[in-house]
Amino acid sequence: MITKDVKKQLIQIVGPENFDDSNAGRLVYSYDATPQFQSMPDAVIAPRNTDEVSRILAICSEHQVPIVPRGSGTNLCGGTCPTEGGLVLLFKHMNRILEIDEENLTATVQPGVITLDMIRAVESKGLFYPPDPSSMKISTMGGNINENSGGLRGLKYGVTRDYVIGLEVVLANGDIIRTGGKLAKDVAGYDLTRLFVGSEGTLGIVTEAIVKLVPKPETKKTLLALYENIDAAAQTVSDIIAAKIIPATLEFLDQPTLLVIEDYARIGLPTNAKAVLLIEQDGPLEIVARDMEKIEAICKKGDAVSVQTAQTEEEAFALTEARRSALSALARLKPTTILEDATVPRSEIANMVKAINDIAAKYDISICTFGHAGDGNLHPTCTTDIRNEDEMERVEQAFAEIFEKAIELGGTITGEHGVGAMKAPYLEMKLEKEGIAAMKALKAAFDPRNILNPGKIFAKDARKRVVTER
């Protein structure tokens, strides 16, 4: 609860135009991209600089006001829903690329920078920032850092954590710290940079980040390989990696997903295939040509019924954009779309896809599966209707079994979407009680009054998705 006195103090910091506790203003930030999940904040605030963030946190700490940092709200784990009310912190004013350092191959950004704007800015200088979440047109760098976002290029290039080398962070009590820097090596003390990346705003508020860049690839090629059975497609993934080829992109789509994407994108995707691999390689011209020739041969040897290489940049772009549109395409089918992620060793992809299909049949629900096959990260996606309580109960049971199966196969409950509120009830499956206890000790050390994005990562009792009101 924000008292009149606290409200007055906050307005003195940011000005009345950057503080909103109206019903309409609060409603806009009561939900994110997570289906069937909503909770009203007490107010919304938009600081203009790090000093203001520091002063805001000092007040929130003194009065035990929960505070939730928020980017564009594209996350799928309920991570930016203010489940315990309090203050939503926006970064619309802190949205600048502060520097692109071509000598040290780094960029320094504020948290409100749109991911695609960042990518385009560095590419204009012949450089490359590889992390490419499907939401990159609207997601922010701060959100990517909090969630440790991945993307289609994760197999070859890694995820957000692999590129963040320095941070400015405001702690719960208002203290400002800096970690890392423009350094290729730094082992001075604990690696706080990597600790904050992926912590979902529960340990501190990121106000600035230094990310490393790499030279922009000279060229790239894209192909589609079509299969009559999923096992053959999954085996091809393993065969490509075993041949010591690491593609930039190695994506899997099952037939139900393919049908929906083609109906949405209408670019001539082969909807008769049972499974499709979308493969892209980038780098020097001669290496890309060599790798793609080998990949094509591996696909054909692995019983691909067709292997088609994009003939133009426009055709290649259309294929990757169609894959990025999977969630949007599926969301057209029914009122509620639940996109999850479960990651397994790539050698277990076929077993995981089969298990997902069996579980969907067991609970009589519709699940489409696609994902980053090269790193074992699958996205089983259920189209349903929140108003059908019986079906929603079966959906919950099905996803619980899917997570259990992923762990049984040596995997995890989330590869890139984060824990937030949605996966919190399942986290103990992966980390066990001792792991949870260690994480809670870290949380208590950084945030003893539990004001930073409370109610996330650490589960309460129920496994249900809930709608709450304040």
Side-chain angles (χ1 to χ4, degrees), residues 76-77 338 340-342 392-407 411-414 418-433 436 439 457-466:
L76 294 159
C77 65
I338 301 174
E340 290 288 6
D341 76 318
M392 288 303 301
E393 178 71 24
R394 287 183 277 118
V395 169
E396 289 293 336
Q397 293 172 343
F399 276 119
E401 284 198 23
I402 287 171
F403 300 145
E404 289 168 359
K405 186 63 177 180
I407 292 172
T412 184
I413 60 171
T414 176
V419 177
M422 295 293 94
K423 292 288 182 68
Y426 307 102
L427 188 60
E428 193 173 315
M429 286 185 192
K430 173 64 177 174
L431 298 182
E432 300 183 340
K433 291 181 180 179
I436 297 291
M439 287 181 58
I457 298 182
F458 303 108
K460 296 181 180 178
D461 294 331
R463 288 188 176 183
K464 301 288 183 184
R465 289 176 169 82
V466 295

Side-chain angles (χ1 to χ4, degrees), residues 156-157 217-221 281-288:
K156 182 175 183 177
Y157 290 104
E218 180 182 322
T219 188
K220 63 183 177 181
K221 287 280 188 181
Q281 183 60 300
D282 63 10
L285 185 63
E286 63 276 13
I287 292 177
V288 170

Side-chain angles (χ1 to χ4, degrees), residues 190 194 207 310 380 416:
Y190 296 141
R194 291 178 73 87
T207 51
E416 61 182 2

Side-chain angles (χ1 to χ4, degrees), residues 7-19:
K7 175 180 175 178
K8 182 180 178 181
Q9 292 181 60
L10 293 172
I11 289 175
Q12 285 177 341
I13 294 171
V14 300
E17 70 278 10
N18 290 313
F19 182 92

Side-chain angles (χ1 to χ4, degrees), residues 264-377:
Y264 176 78
R266 299 190 181 279
I267 62 170
L269 293 172
T271 55
N272 58 319
K274 299 297 182 185
V276 166
L277 294 181
L278 171 65
I279 306 170
E280 184 176 274
Q281 183 60 300
D282 63 10
L285 185 63
E286 63 276 13
I287 292 177
V288 170
R290 182 198 67 193
D291 283 355
M292 293 304 275
E293 183 179 343
K294 290 181 179 179
I295 288 170
E296 183 173 343
I298 291 169
C299 291
K300 289 178 178 177
K301 185 178 179 181
D303 295 330
V305 296
S306 173
V307 181
Q308 305 167 356
T309 300
Q311 298 303 306
T312 65
E313 286 188 15
E314 291 75 18
E315 186 180 340
F317 180 78
L319 291 173
T320 54
E321 282 298 290
R323 161 59 186 89
R324 293 186 196 281
S325 73
L327 177 57
S328 299
L330 289 164
R332 301 164 69 223
L333 298 183
K334 288 188 177 181
T336 306
T337 304
I338 301 174
L339 185 152
E340 290 288 6
D341 76 318
T343 301
V344 294
R346 65 176 67 93
S347 59
E348 298 289 357
I349 287 173
N351 290 332
M352 190 67 219
V353 173
K354 183 178 185 301
I356 290 169
N357 292 337
D358 290 344
I359 291 168
K362 174 182 175 181
Y363 290 99
D364 190 26
I365 59 175
S366 173
I367 294 182
C368 298
T369 302
F370 59 95
H372 317 307
D375 52 28
N377 185 202

